[in-house]
Every structure is written in C-alpha cells, then in structure tokens.
Amino acid sequence: MLRGALFRLSRSNKIKDFVTTAPVTGGVVRRFIAGETSNDAVAAARRLVDAGLLVTIDYLGEDTTDPARADAVVVAYLDLLTKLRESRLSPSVEISIKLSALGLHLRDGPRLAWENAELICHAARMADTAVTLDMEDHTTTDSTLELLRTLRKEYAETGAVLQAYLYRTEEDCRDLAEAGSRVRLCKGAYAEPESLAFQDRHDIDRSYVRCMKILMAGSGFPMLATHDQTLIKIGLRLAEEYGRGPKDFEFQMLYGVRPTEQLRLANLGHAVRIYTPYGTDWYGYLIRRLAERPANLRFFARSLITKS
Ligand code: FDA
C-alpha cells in the first residue's frame, strides 16, 4: 500500500520539484548514488574494485519522452565505456541499461531501443565488458525479453533481470537457465497489480527461492541480486549443492545498501557485484529505494519537514 502511494506521489511534478531542490535531499541521494558525472562513476567503481568487489554501472534515467534524449543516453554510455576501457576497470565493471531510457516508449520504440541498445552492446564488447538489461514495470517485460533474444544473437554475453514478484517469472527462469545466459534475479521494485504479481512479502520470498533453484540448477550464470540475509544463506546452500564456485554465480547488491555485508561476502571469496548508479536524473531511482524500506522514508520525511 505504501509502495503504491509512493509511486502515485512520484508522478506529481510538484512533489518532484520540492524533493529534488530541498537542501536535505543531497545527503540521502549521496548514500544511494555515486555522483552526477561519468568521472564520479568511474571513481566509485575504482574504490569498489580496490575493495575486492565487482561493479555494474547504471546511467540514471527512464521513460525518455523524445528521441534526442534517448540519443543523449547512448552518448553518455559510450563516454562511460571509453573511460572504463582507458582506466582498465573492465571486465570487473559491466554496465546496466534501461530500455525506456533508450526510447522504448516512443513511436517505433522497440526498433529505436534495439538500435540504441545494439550500439551500447557493441561499445561494451570493444571495452571488454558486457551489458545487462534492467527490468522495469510489467508493461515492458515481454518487449525487454524479446529484445534480449534479438541482442543475444550477436551479443550472447548480454544479461537480463527477472523479478520474483511476477507470477510469470518461474517460467521465464526456465526459459533462460541455459548455457551462456546471464540472469540477475531480484524481488522487483515497482508497484504491480495483484492480477500479475505476489503482494505478500513471504510469497515474494518463496517465489525468489523457487526461481533461484531453477537458475542455480540450470546451466546459465545466476546473479542473485538481494540484500535479504535468508535468501543469501539459501543461495550459498544452493551453490554448494550444485557445485557452483565464485566463477559460476555471483551475489549483487545496490550501492549504499548493506555495505558491510557486501565486503563480508567478498572477503569469504564470493563474487559480489555492486549496482552503482550515477547521473542527475535520480528521482525515480531514489523513490524506489525509499519505498523498499519504511525506515528510509521516515528518516527522509522527517528531515524534509524539519529543515524546509
Ligand atoms: P528486502 O527489500 O526484503 O531487503 C532485505 C534487507 O536489505 C532489508 O531488511 C534491509 O536491511 C536491506 N535493504 C533493502 N533495500 C534497502 C534500501 N533501499 N535501503 C536500506 N536497506 C535496504 N528491481 C527491479 O524491479 N528491476 C531491476 O532491474 C532491478 N535491478 C536490481 C539490481 C540489483 C543489483 C539489485 C540488488 C536490486 C535490483 N532491483 C531491481 C531492486 C529489487 O527488486 C529490490 O527492490 C531490492 O533489491 C530490495 O529487495 P531485497 O531482495 O534486498 O529484499
């Protein structure tokens, strides 16, 4: 319910303007976002890699409303990939992209998003790294998986995200648990209707476990994206059961979330990749992080009220 209300609020431009200009916002943003420029992102990636972690970088932005903006997103990724190559950080650092930022919702969107994604996949390969397609709300699931299939014909290393809260995801895991395929499994961060998605957090967790079993038993490369201690423990047990070492699967977490646990797992010898977003268009991403944890929201709301 809270999540639904937050997403409705997030569509109000007045609230967006208020939140993005309030002085206190900076502190909360800095916790979850690496900075505004590609140099900030590369510097953050360098710190994480030096600490023994792997990284995936996301240039923030979604729901692009004009083709020029989609072009600008491509240019930003090409700039980032050049810097990653020059800094010799790839292949410890891969990148994540959102198809709605590349024009998926525009006229002739699937073709435009595919052309833009292909340019980025090509540049990523030249930089000795790979791309993972983020998953947005359910209206984009089919088109994202369709585009993944097309991209993987030429760029087999391209990965995708599946969301355990959707009823369909077990079936999608079965389809994608094949050799060469990379699947990032997360719980899901959007407000979805009951007709399509589990609402109860225990049901979502149980679905996550079923999906994780399919991926860990399969022959692809599972990327277990969660901060949930119980799911991490089950992931470790499944890795033992299926004989998967650090090169055969990885844990993934978000920049700024449970950093001590990130390092603990890495120090035990597990591969741990940190999803590291940067850019000025951070509002939608921040709202999803606040919605995930009521404590974040209470802290943020209190600061807004007392300091504005
Ligand atoms: P859960 O929300 O139950 O959190 C478990 C514990 O982790 C909490 O008790 C708390 O300690 C900590 N925690 C989690 N979130 C926190 C936060 N925001 N602030 C502070 N502490 C927090 N979603 C999606 O729909 N599409 C996508 O493409 C992606 N991509 C993605 C990539 C990666 C690498 C990760 C880790 C996650 C995503 N997500 C995502 C987000 C995902 O769907 C989910 O919303 C969050 O990961 C939170 O779910 P947990 O599995 O961590 O469990």
Side-chain angles (χ1 to χ4, degrees), residues 37-57:
T37 67
S38 56
N39 285 335
D40 294 334
V42 172
R46 164 85 58 210
R47 284 194 298 277
L48 292 165
V49 170
D50 286 349
L53 298 160
L54 303 165
V55 177
T56 181
I57 299 183

Side-chain angles (χ1 to χ4, degrees), residues 31-32 134-135 161 163 184 186-190 225-228 252-254 257-258 275 289 292-293 296:
R31 171 172 171 197
F32 294 112
D134 283 346
M135 191 59 85
V161 177
Q163 299 151 316
R184 173 180 295 158
C186 68
K187 288 189 186 178
Y190 296 81
T226 182
H227 316 87
D228 185 322
Q252 300 195 340
M253 297 193 197
L254 300 175
V257 178
R258 303 204 65 205
Y275 185 100
R289 301 297 74 82
E292 273 153 10
R293 203 162 179 239
N296 288 348

